[in-house]
Amino acid sequence: MARLGCRNSGPHPTQGGQETSGIAAGRSIWTGRAVLSTAVLVATTAFAADTLDPNALKRLVHQDCGSCHGLSLKGGLGPDLRSETLDHYDADVLTGVILDGIPDTAMPPWRPLISEEEAEWIARYLLAQEAQ
Amino acid sequence: MKTLILTLATTLLMTTAQAEPTATGDLGLVIERANGSVLLVDQSDRAALARIEGLGDLSHASLVYSPDERFAYVFGRDGGLTKVDIVTRQIVNRVIQAGNAIGGAISDDGKLVAVSNYEPGGVRVFDADTLDMVADIPTGSKTIGLVDAPGRRFVFTMWDTGETWIADFAKGDPKITKIPDMGKNPYDALITANGRTYITGLFGEDGLTALDLWAETPEPIRVLPNYGRGQEDMPVYKMPHLEGWALTGREFVLPAVGHHEVLWIDADTLTETGRTKTHGQPVFAMARPDGRQVWVNFAHPLNDTIQVIDSVSKEIIHEFKPGPAVLHMEFTPRGHEVWISVRDAGKVMVYDTQSFEKLREIDANSPSGIFFTARAHRTGL
């Protein structure tokens, strides 16, 4: 999915929507998010700059990831995300989880809403102490 | 004559000095999630009266009221249980009862306060007066959907194991009834205002599961299994809440999970009576107290919008954008106004529910839950 704030080109969100509409997928299959094109457009306005916006991303982490993981990331319905809990993961692994979610769990894919660069930024932010 | 006037004046002065009695029936508290504070508000004056601080991590916090509408028991994410006196506007007691909590309830007699915990998973029950623990009920699972039920009972459900337990405190030590097979990953639950039906929403499968608490041995009743069949599931960026019994005449309305719609269910037969497509993943679908309207807010990233559904036609009659991150709505007890917390605007906004006109904005720091004292007299709230 393309994001307005993402430099690498991909299909236009509207196109993506048209291409994949009508595909029925199970809850565990997270690819081809057709109907989300509106959501993508709305969501990306916050990140619509060419450069990453650390404040917007921090807000996303604490407020929106925080709805499951807790405002201070100590965990809730979702697991603890503090750096000491995560430090045995590589940033790449975390980036993948953020982008594609974990099938059969409550962790959704954030790929429709954020760019790969933004996911990578979030992964590094979580691994750094400053998140606390 | 002079003496009389003097006496009157003295009497007046004394009355003021002794502080007027505080009527709490039209007051409420707003959770300020980022700052660990609650804002005392006055419904009639549409105003904030005071800020009470020092309540810890209030992300995803909620509260219940004592039967006399004087004390609020605030359940914080960090396991804090704080008793707030809204007359003196101060914290009167506070305990850290667990590591990670999700919500609570107060018994019908107002004597027991129960908290459901993620870590350690289970329910802990406290004396409402002293906050001394009177029962510890480990469940081995993240525990959600805790409500009070008539007869000094609490009902709660396990996210990991899909069981619902009923803890009966009628006679001293709790008697626990366990009901397995409620479904995969129940995420929240509610109880009808009459205390008869408990219903839990499922995340791990399409559908809901109900219990008839009037039954001798309550059995799981599947409600709308496979309601999303044939539709693509969409990612859920915020779990919906089941709060209050959005009863609209003979039906109630609940958010679907992974589908952008609300579901209408016949309250007697628990069968589907309709669906209304919505703007996004609904978080709260709340009926105005008279049941004529249902107000719906949405998950990130569509959380700037509210839709209002007419419960007779089941059609959306109004849509507006109060501002960034609409987290909660609370109706005045008779439903003429609704208070809406708009987190990222730092405001609570008050709307007329007939004209949809905005009546007031009240400053608040990252406001989330709004709780009016009238909840004190309602089962399940």
Side-chain angles (χ1 to χ4, degrees):
Chain A
M1 283 260 178
R3 284 147 300 268
L4 295 177
C6 178
R7 279 194 205 131
N8 56 345
S9 59
H12 188 273
T14 316
Q15 273 179 2
Q18 285 162 352
E19 279 164 17
T20 49
S21 64
I23 293 176
R27 175 152 290 166
S28 56
I29 301 167
W30 290 112
T31 49
R33 298 289 113 186
V35 203
L36 277 175
S37 44
T38 327
V40 174
L41 285 168
V42 173
T44 42
T45 45
F47 311 115
D50 269 333
T51 49
L52 297 175
D53 179 346
N55 287 330
L57 288 170
K58 277 184 205 172
R59 173 175 285 274
L60 178 84
V61 168
H62 292 278
Q63 301 293 350
D64 296 303
C65 304
S67 36
C68 281
H69 298 282
L71 190 68
S72 51
L73 309 179
K74 289 181 198 160
L77 200 56
D80 186 333
L81 294 185
R82 287 174 293 181
S83 55
E84 63 262 36
T85 323
L86 293 180
D87 62 8
H88 56 288
Y89 290 108
D90 290 337
D92 291 0
V93 173
L94 295 180
T95 305
V97 168
I98 295 165
L99 286 170
D100 298 320
I102 303 176
D104 292 322
T105 74
M107 179 64 186
W110 291 79
R111 196 181 282 280
L113 304 184
I114 61 176
S115 70
E116 289 181 12
E117 288 82 352
E118 286 163 343
E120 213 177 296
W121 187 96
I122 291 170
R124 293 187 192 287
Y125 175 70
L126 292 175
L127 289 169
Q129 282 296 329
E130 66 164 321
Q132 271 78 66
Chain B
M1 193 61 188
K2 253 184 192 167
T3 322
L4 180 63
I5 291 168
L6 198 65
T7 315
L8 275 173
T10 315
T11 314
L12 278 170
L13 276 172
M14 279 176 63
T15 317
T16 324
Q18 280 167 2
E20 284 181 38
T22 303
T24 59
D26 60 354
L27 300 185
L29 289 169
V30 178
I31 304 286
E32 296 187 307
R33 68 201 296 269
N35 300 58
S37 53
V38 290
L39 197 63
L40 180 65
V41 293
D42 185 314
Q43 225 179 81
S44 311
D45 294 344
R46 300 189 195 118
L49 302 178
R51 174 170 287 123
I52 300 158
E53 296 175 312
L55 286 86
D57 179 355
L58 292 186
S59 61
H60 208 289
S62 62
L63 59 86
V64 296
Y65 287 104
S66 62
D68 62 4
E69 298 186 2
R70 174 168 182 177
F71 299 104
Y73 300 90
V74 185
F75 310 104
R77 169 72 92 181
D78 58 1
L81 167 59
T82 310
K83 183 176 179 179
V84 175
D85 183 337
I86 63 176
V87 173
T88 63
R89 303 175 180 185
Q90 58 191 6
I91 293 171
V92 290
N93 204 347
R94 175 170 162 80
V95 295
I96 302 293
Q97 55 84 36
N100 200 322
I102 190 61
I106 187 163
S107 60
D108 54 1
D109 63 356
K111 305 286 190 204
L112 300 172
V113 174
V115 193
S116 61
N117 294 315
Y118 283 161
E119 184 52 51
V123 169
R124 285 180 170 159
V125 182
F126 300 84
D127 181 300
D129 190 28
T130 61
L131 300 192
D132 291 336
M133 188 157 77
V134 297
D136 184 10
I137 308 170
T139 60
S141 163
K142 289 174 179 169
T143 302
I144 55 99
L146 168 65
V147 301
D148 57 287
R152 232 177 181 232
R153 290 180 297 169
F154 293 108
V155 187
F156 45 92
T157 296
M158 276 49 95
W159 162 265
D160 303 294
T161 59
E163 291 188 357
T164 294
W165 292 8
I166 302 168
D168 186 333
F169 284 83
K171 299 181 194 109
D173 286 341
K175 186 174 145 266
I176 310 278
T177 305
K178 299 180 184 180
I179 298 130
D181 300 324
M182 292 290 284
K184 189 178 176 197
N185 291 144
Y187 65 86
D188 199 6
L190 54 70
I191 188 168
T192 46
N194 65 0
R196 176 168 185 175
T197 311
Y198 179 84
I199 190 161
T200 185
L202 304 176
F203 177 82
E205 59 185 281
D206 279 341
L208 306 121
T209 306
L211 288 178
D212 180 358
L213 298 178
W214 288 6
E216 197 68 33
T217 49
E219 301 282 344
I221 304 163
R222 303 287 170 204
V223 180
L224 269 61
N226 309 313
Y227 63 67
R229 176 163 289 170
Q231 298 175 42
E232 184 185 9
D233 280 2
M234 286 180 271
V236 178
Y237 294 108
K238 183 174 168 64
M239 286 289 169
H241 281 254
L242 304 178
E243 182 197 280
W245 188 242
L247 187 66
T248 59
R250 296 171 50 81
E251 295 161 304
F252 60 89
V253 59
L254 294 168
V257 181
H259 304 287
H260 294 181
E261 58 192 14
V262 295
L263 310 168
W264 298 81
I265 298 168
D266 183 288
D268 294 328
T269 61
L270 299 178
T271 54
E272 180 178 336
T273 53
R275 295 178 188 205
T276 304
K277 290 277 174 208
T278 54
H279 178 61
Q281 166 68 59
V283 174
F284 284 102
M286 301 180 85
R288 200 172 66 178
D290 67 345
R292 183 61 203 265
Q293 297 173 350
V294 176
W295 291 54
V296 186
N297 73 331
F298 303 99
H300 175 86
L302 301 175
N303 56 2
D304 60 346
T305 301
I306 283 184
Q307 288 182 318
V308 182
I309 305 172
D310 177 272
S311 59
V312 176
S313 68
K314 299 187 174 61
E315 283 171 8
I316 290 159
I317 53 167
H318 187 59
E319 176 176 328
F320 65 111
K321 294 186 187 301
V326 172
L327 291 194
H328 195 226
M329 300 168 274
E330 176 86 332
F331 291 95
T332 54
R334 298 200 189 187
H336 68 303
E337 290 175 7
V338 63
W339 289 43
I340 296 173
S341 53
V342 188
R343 186 192 66 205
D344 294 348
K347 306 269 188 206
V348 172
M349 298 181 186
V350 183
Y351 288 84
D352 183 301
T353 61
Q354 292 287 349
S355 66
F356 305 120
E357 181 195 349
K358 191 198 285 180
L359 302 171
R360 187 68 58 88
E361 288 188 355
I362 298 166
D363 289 334
N365 295 326
S366 295
S368 60
I370 305 171
F371 303 89
F372 290 143
T373 52
R375 287 171 172 255
H377 311 298
R378 293 193 54 198
T379 294
L381 290 185

